[in-house]
Amino acid sequence: MQPGWMGSKFYRTCDWVWKLAYVNLLWLMFTFLGLIVFGFLPATVAMFAVIRKWLMKETDVPIFLTFIQMLKKDFLRINLLGSAFLIVGYILYFNYHYLGSIDGIMHSILALGWYIGCFIFAVTFLFIFPVYVHYDLKLSQYFKTALIVGIVNPLALLTLFISLGLALYLFYLIPGLIPFFSASMLGLLVTWCAHMSFQRTERKKEKLAS
């Protein structure tokens, strides 16, 4: 009786709900322990590392231990990546205000460049976390790889944007879910779409090699 119960859809759904809530609370706790500024990115990477293992069928990994190991492993490295995003984000913010001071065709040209830059920034930022926990690369290579993974499969990217939009709308309708599922649910959606892109990239490599 027990194996049949544990294999039921209801049990698996409850198990996923509990795990997502647990890893989300860990993310919140260690983000605040790092005073947000220094804790946000390491805690986010640790959360993505746990979620990746789930999607790789390693569902029985010790969540807390895996989270802590990843948190300690790359605390400084991931904050360096975050500093690069902060600098680029500030440049985009500065350029946004600069666009308001010009007009004419120059404004149109620069505005187009600004929108393209924001798109590249958003895609790279979304996929940098699953790429970071999936590949072992040099620090500078993560940005290029995250962008490639994000755009190599337009369907996965479109699916991600729609899924994130629906998830954010759900949190808007039910704010009580935010402390328990906000980061983990968004992380699951991003990792799942990135995983589709990883598989597509691997299939392309296999075709080229054959």
Side-chain angles (χ1 to χ4, degrees):
M1 293 295 292
Q2 188 176 6
W5 157 251
M6 294 182 66
S8 67
K9 290 183 179 180
F10 178 75
Y11 176 85
R12 292 198 300 269
T13 301
C14 291
D15 188 51
W16 270 99
V17 169
W18 175 84
K19 286 179 177 178
L20 286 172
Y22 181 39
V23 79
N24 196 87
L25 291 175
L26 287 177
W27 175 82
L28 277 174
M29 181 175 68
F30 284 99
T31 295
F32 282 103
L33 283 176
L35 303 176
I36 300 178
V37 175
F38 300 107
F40 172 75
L41 290 175
T44 303
V45 167
M47 179 188 68
F48 271 88
V50 173
I51 293 174
R52 174 184 174 272
K53 287 186 177 295
W54 294 342
L55 293 182
M56 299 294 287
K57 308 300 182 183
E58 299 178 45
T59 54
D60 295 327
V61 294
I63 297 175
F64 184 78
L65 183 60
T66 304
F67 194 99
I68 292 297
Q69 286 176 341
M70 195 64 188
L71 192 74
K72 292 179 177 179
K73 178 183 175 184
D74 291 328
F75 184 87
L76 179 60
R77 200 167 184 233
I78 192 61
N79 273 307
L80 287 175
L81 280 177
S83 299
F85 276 107
L86 188 64
I87 293 171
V88 175
Y90 177 78
I91 292 172
L92 289 172
Y93 175 78
F94 175 82
N95 286 341
Y96 172 77
H97 287 281
Y98 175 71
L99 285 172
S101 65
I102 57 176
D103 52 18
I105 190 168
M106 183 59 68
H107 177 273
S108 300
I109 294 173
L110 292 178
L112 177 62
W114 185 81
Y115 283 116
I116 294 173
C118 286
F119 174 78
I120 293 173
F121 178 86
V123 172
T124 305
F125 184 77
L126 280 174
F127 284 95
I128 195 74
F129 298 108
V131 165
Y132 189 86
V133 299
H134 191 78
Y135 295 108
D136 184 18
L137 304 170
K138 293 181 179 178
L139 201 62
S140 59
Q141 293 177 321
Y142 284 109
F143 301 101
K144 180 179 69 175
T145 305
L147 180 60
I148 292 173
V149 167
I151 63 176
V152 73
N153 190 346
L155 180 59
L157 185 60
L158 179 61
T159 302
L160 175 59
F161 283 139
I162 294 174
S163 301
L164 291 178
L166 291 174
L168 291 174
Y169 184 63
L170 176 63
F171 294 139
Y172 171 76
L173 293 177
I174 314 176
L177 294 175
I178 293 175
F180 303 101
F181 299 104
S182 55
S184 59
M185 185 179 291
L186 297 179
L188 177 63
L189 293 172
V190 173
T191 306
W192 177 62
C193 291
H195 189 64
M196 287 195 297
S197 292
F198 295 153
Q199 291 177 326
R200 182 181 177 87
T201 302
E202 291 301 321
R203 287 195 298 267
K204 284 185 175 181
K205 288 182 179 179
E206 290 175 1
K207 286 182 179 180
L208 291 174
S210 59

